[in-house]
Amino acid sequence: MARRKKGNPVHGWLVLDKPFEMTSTRAVGILKRLFFAQKVGHAGTLDPLATGILPIAFGEATKTVPFAVDGEKVYRFTVRWGAETATDDAEGEVVATGEARPTVADIEALLPQFVGEIMQVPPQFSAVKVDGERAYALARDGEQVVLEARPVVIDELRLIDVPDDDTAVFEARCGKGTYVRAIARDMGRALGCRGHVIALRRTRVGPFSEENAVGLDEIEDAAEAGEDLSPFLLPVEMALGDILEVNVSPSDAANLAQGRSILIRGRDAPVLGGAAYAMSKGQIVALGEIERGALHPTRVFNFGG
């Protein structure tokens, strides 16, 4: 006899505006409790000291998490010049200082070096694994962590504001695996003044943005009032962005649900192959690859509970 899953079969995405000083894991735990959901995960860890967009996947939406994680991220962050810290943010102890302060011209001239595919060494206090252990765990234990530089893609880095000589505000559009704290650290070194992040906000993850974000307080208030929380959820397919959508018949949907490939006919027949997802009667059925006019499912969705 199958063991009954604890919680309700909740499915969809919630775009959380994560509060300051909360871990991503704690945010997931709170929402799992509020929705009494069987399965919950998140797309892309956000540092405790950062605020902003943390996409939360419920139920079948967890199958689309890789697409959200791989999506473009946008961050707005403030750098304080004059000190580099062990954590590259305001939480760590100061490990180096610099008396110089960059001018706007100095900063603007430097920015092109940080755009495109660059090599970046992650912060010692990061989630990168070293011999199976998280770098931050080793660093907290006092171990000297040596991380290798790795390629990351930064599509855009703009200077937004210079409130005073000691601080500058930037916006970055970047790809998976980019550390904003490392950008601040490396800019400080290049400018000869040292630097660290004192404020960080993520404003976009793939298709998820501030426009569809909701605060934790609002969800908690609704739950306390006994309101239906489902209006906070977005469709499972929201994470799939620009991937081709194919509408299929109920019979084709049944075949896909069993893991069988189907032929794509009529106006939905794609000219080229590639990733696609199938919809039937307004609900996602499967993710897969189109090849030679056929959709081959790689993940199927089950909303039956």
Side-chain angles (χ1 to χ4, degrees):
M1 184 175 174
R3 189 170 145 189
R4 182 177 174 81
K5 295 179 180 178
K6 184 179 179 181
N8 297 322
V10 180
H11 307 288
W13 283 95
L14 186 149
V15 187
L16 179 68
D17 191 335
K18 190 191 79 65
F20 181 67
E21 292 190 322
M22 178 177 286
T23 66
S24 299
T25 300
R26 175 158 168 70
V28 167
I30 291 172
L31 289 170
K32 185 175 184 178
R33 174 178 57 80
L34 292 175
F35 280 81
F36 193 55
Q38 290 176 355
K39 189 175 184 181
V40 189
H42 65 76
T45 301
L46 200 54
D47 289 342
L49 299 186
T51 65
I53 304 305
L54 181 64
I56 306 291
F58 289 82
E60 293 297 276
T62 58
K63 295 176 179 177
T64 66
V65 163
F67 294 89
V69 171
D70 289 344
E72 183 180 74
K73 320 287 193 305
V74 179
Y75 296 90
R76 183 165 291 209
F77 60 103
T78 302
V79 178
R80 175 160 290 156
W81 308 121
E84 182 176 317
T85 69
T87 57
D88 299 318
D89 61 20
E91 195 174 33
E93 64 180 53
V94 174
V95 295
T97 59
E99 295 298 322
R101 292 295 181 270
T103 64
V104 170
D106 292 334
I107 298 170
E108 293 281 11
L110 177 68
L111 295 184
Q113 296 181 31
F114 289 85
V115 176
E117 184 175 298
I118 66 170
M119 297 301 292
Q120 184 185 76
V121 177
Q124 285 198 44
F125 286 79
S126 65
V128 174
K129 285 192 174 181
V130 180
D131 296 329
E133 296 285 338
R134 298 290 185 185
Y136 62 74
L138 297 173
R140 284 172 185 161
D141 289 340
E143 293 189 36
Q144 188 65 33
V145 181
V146 179
L147 298 174
E148 297 293 329
R150 58 185 188 173
V152 298
V153 175
I154 301 174
D155 296 304
E156 185 178 26
L157 179 61
R158 297 190 299 133
L159 178 64
I160 301 297
D161 189 21
V162 181
D164 52 55
D165 290 344
D166 292 326
T167 55
V169 183
F170 298 88
E171 185 174 85
R173 288 194 302 112
C174 51
K176 179 182 178 181
T178 304
Y179 280 92
V180 170
R181 287 179 289 139
I183 297 175
R185 176 200 66 205
D186 294 342
M187 285 196 297
R189 291 176 180 177
L191 291 166
C193 62
R194 304 292 178 149
H196 65 278
V197 170
I198 60 171
L200 174 61
R201 179 169 179 79
R202 188 159 67 189
T203 60
R204 177 176 289 276
V205 176
F208 304 112
S209 69
E210 291 177 307
E211 294 174 1
N212 40 39
V214 60
L216 188 58
D217 287 347
E218 185 179 347
I219 303 168
E220 289 178 325
D221 289 346
E224 189 174 339
E227 296 176 14
D228 178 16
L229 300 185
S230 62
F232 290 115
L233 298 176
L234 297 171
V236 168
E237 63 272 16
M238 180 81 177
L240 302 180
D242 296 330
I243 293 175
L244 178 67
E245 176 186 335
V246 178
N247 286 293
V248 300
S249 66
S251 59
D252 279 343
N255 280 318
L256 289 169
Q258 295 298 319
R260 293 190 288 267
S261 301
I262 63 167
L263 291 175
I264 306 298
R265 310 175 186 83
R267 64 181 183 181
D268 284 325
V271 176
L272 302 174
Y277 65 95
M279 297 286 292
S280 183
K281 295 184 176 180
Q283 191 168 72
I284 189 168
V285 177
L287 267 167
E289 294 285 331
I290 291 179
E291 185 179 353
R292 296 180 180 177
L295 174 59
H296 306 282
T298 54
R299 299 300 300 267
V300 297
F301 296 86
N302 175 20
F303 296 93

